[in-house]
Amino acid sequence: MAQALIPVAEARARILSMLTPTEQEPVLLANAVGRILAEDVVARRTQPPSDLSAMDGYAVRAADVSSVPARLRVVGESPAGGAYDGILGEGEAVRIFTGAPVPHGADAIVIQEDTERYGDIVIAREKTVHGRNIRPAGLDFTKGTTGLAAGRKLSAADIAFAAAMNVSSLSLHRRPRIAFFSTGDELVRPGAPLGPNQIVSSNNDGLAALIAEAGGVPLDLGIAPDRREAIRATARKAIGADMLVTLGGASVGDHDLVQAALAEDGLDIDFWRIAMRPGKPLMFGRYRDIPMLGLPGNPVSAQVCALLFLVPALTKLAGGEANAPRTVPARLGTPLAENDQREDYLRAGIDHVPGELPVATPFPKQDSSMLSLLSAADCLIVRPPHAPAAEAGEMVSVIPLR
C-alpha cells in the first residue's frame, strides 16, 4: 500500500521520539574528547586555591609603592610550588615568580622590569595599586560549582577544564553501536574482482566513516544478496546494537526486498517515504526492538539522508541534544526554478566574499549517483517544498559540509 510522503522535519522527530540514550560509563579524561557528558562535572577544588602572582617581580604592600621611587627591603622569596611563610611588613618586599602564592600582608606585585635590585634592597620605579598583577583565589572557579553540564559534547578545552577541577574520569554515555549492511547482487567491496554487471559499493565505507565521525561505533555487516533469507540472516547479526541501518532495498520495486524480508522477522514499520530529494525511499521502524533506519541505495542519497537523520539519531543515543543540521544564510549564485512538493538538498560550492554573505552556487548536475560532486561540495542548499523560482543573489539557507 502506498504511503503519503511525510516532511523531513516530521520524519526526524518521529525517529528521535523512539530513541533513548545509551547507558553511562566511566571514561578517563584522555579518552573523553568528542564524547557527551552523562552527568554534570563539579569542581573538587578552588582555582586558584589562593592568591597567586600573575607576573615575575616583587610582592609588596601597595601603600609602600604609592609614590616612586620606592626603596624596599627584600625579606624572602616565593617560588612557584613554594611559599614565603612570613607576614610582609611595612617597607618590605618578597621576590616572587609567576604562579607563586602571594605572601600574607602583600596586596600587589611590582613586575621585575619596573625594579632595580641592589643586594637586599629593591627600588620600585613604577607606582602600583591594590590587587595589581594578582590572581585572586577562586578567579577561575570555586569548589562545588558545576563547571560542565550534562549533555555537553566535550572539546579539548573541556578536558583541560575538567582536569583543572581535579577530575580524572567522567561519566559519559556509551558510544552508540550502529550496525549496517548493504543489499544487492550487483555490489562488491572496493578492490574485489568485478563481474560484467557489478559495481563497487561505496556505501558501507562511507557510512562507517560518517558514524565514526559522529561519535558512534560502526559495525559493518557487509553486503547481503537479494534473497530474503540472506537479508534476514544478515539483519539478525545486529542484535545487541543500538541501531540497525540498511542501505538499499527500501523502496517497493521487485528487487527492493528489505521491507518485505524483515517484515516476516519482526520489523514494525513507522514510515518509508519522505518528501525530500535526494532520498525519498527512506524507511524507519523497529526490528526486534532495535531502531532501524533504511537508507536509499544511491550513494549520494544515502549520505544526505544519513546527515539529516542518522547523525541526529546518533547524537540522541549518545546523550546529546539532537537537532536538525545547522544551517547558515548565503546568497544564491545562479537562478533556480520553482520547487515541487519535495524538500531539495542541492550540492553546491561556496565562494566567500569579504564583508558579505557567502555565495552558494549549485552544481548543474544533481544526480544522486554522483559522489564526485558530493565530495567537491562545500554545502547543501536547502529549498523548502513549493519554493518559488529564485534569482541569483537571493537569500538561501545552506548546510555547511566542511
Side-chain angles (χ1 to χ4, degrees):
M1 179 184 296
Q3 183 192 61
L5 299 178
I6 66 172
V8 170
E10 179 185 340
R12 184 165 41 241
R14 284 162 70 166
I15 292 171
L16 296 176
S17 69
M18 294 179 64
L19 304 177
T20 56
T22 59
E23 69 273 13
Q24 300 177 23
E25 63 180 7
V27 177
L28 293 174
L29 287 183
N31 301 322
V33 69
R35 302 280 295 275
I36 295 175
L37 274 176
E39 295 180 354
D40 293 347
V41 180
V42 177
R44 296 177 177 174
R45 68 190 299 268
T46 294
Q47 175 64 22
S50 61
D51 292 353
L52 302 180
S53 176
M55 304 290 285
D56 291 347
Y58 292 86
V60 300
R61 298 178 348 135
D64 292 338
V65 195
S66 59
S67 61
V68 290
R71 180 184 176 91
L72 305 170
R73 185 168 63 90
V74 180
V75 295
E77 183 174 285
S78 181
Y84 175 75
D85 294 329
I87 299 176
L88 199 67
E90 182 178 354
E92 295 179 338
V94 167
R95 181 74 167 106
I96 198 166
F97 298 89
T98 302
V102 176
H104 294 293
D107 60 5
I109 307 296
V110 177
I111 64 173
Q112 182 173 314
E113 293 87 339
D114 293 338
T115 64
E116 295 175 14
R117 178 81 177 263
Y118 302 96
D120 290 340
I121 301 298
V122 63
I123 307 297
R125 297 294 184 185
E126 293 289 336
K127 293 188 289 186
T128 192
V129 294
H130 177 85
R132 178 169 289 173
N133 298 321
I134 290 177
R135 295 175 180 144
L139 172 66
D140 201 357
F141 52 84
T142 57
K143 183 178 180 179
T145 57
T146 297
L148 298 168
R152 184 182 183 91
K153 186 174 183 179
L154 295 165
S155 67
D158 295 332
I159 300 301
F161 186 18
M165 288 188 281
N166 200 27
V167 174
S168 61
S169 67
L170 303 170
S171 181
L172 309 180
H173 287 281
R174 176 179 53 76
R175 290 185 187 272
R177 298 185 293 261
I178 310 299
F180 58 94
F181 66 93
S182 293
T183 63
D185 292 332
E186 76 280 13
L187 300 177
V188 297
R189 299 301 292 259
L194 277 168
N197 299 310
Q198 292 185 304
I199 60 174
V200 176
S201 172
S202 59
N203 278 336
N204 287 56
D205 293 303
L207 190 65
L210 184 143
I211 290 168
E213 187 176 59
V217 178
L219 305 175
D220 189 346
L221 304 182
I223 300 172
D226 283 327
R227 296 190 299 275
R228 294 191 182 197
E229 186 50 47
I231 291 170
R232 286 193 288 267
T234 305
R236 288 170 192 156
K237 297 177 184 178
I239 302 302
D242 298 298
M243 177 175 274
L244 170 62
V245 179
T246 60
L247 293 145
S251 191
V252 290
D254 291 342
H255 298 282
D256 294 314
L257 301 177
V258 170
Q259 188 174 158
L262 297 187
E264 302 168 4
D265 201 31
L267 174 62
D268 181 18
I269 291 290
D270 186 327
F271 61 81
W272 58 273
R273 281 159 53 92
I274 307 294
M276 65 176 287
R277 182 188 299 105
K280 180 176 72 173
L282 183 131
M283 177 173 60
F284 181 70
R286 294 192 76 88
Y287 171 72
R288 294 187 168 198
D289 280 338
I290 305 171
M292 177 183 153
L293 182 64
L295 299 178
N298 279 336
V300 172
S301 301
Q303 283 280 316
V304 171
C305 287
L307 175 66
L308 296 178
F309 302 107
L310 179 56
V311 171
L314 256 167
T315 301
K316 182 166 184 181
L317 287 169
E321 184 178 352
N323 296 307
R326 179 178 67 95
T327 61
V328 297
R331 295 204 177 275
L332 191 58
T334 59
L336 289 175
E338 180 183 1
N339 197 17
D340 60 15
Q341 77 275 17
R342 292 162 66 182
E343 189 159 291
D344 256 353
Y345 293 85
L346 304 174
R347 285 159 285 171
I350 284 280
D351 292 310
H352 293 280
V353 181
E356 299 181 16
L357 287 176
V359 176
T361 304
F363 300 140
K365 293 183 179 180
Q366 293 288 327
D367 189 282
S368 59
S369 68
M370 298 178 68
L371 276 172
S372 59
L373 296 185
L374 183 62
S375 177
D378 299 309
C379 68
L380 297 174
I381 297 174
V382 183
R383 297 206 77 214
H386 305 294
E391 297 297 327
E394 290 189 26
M395 295 277 290
V396 289
S397 292
V398 304
I399 299 172
L401 296 179
R402 303 184 186 281

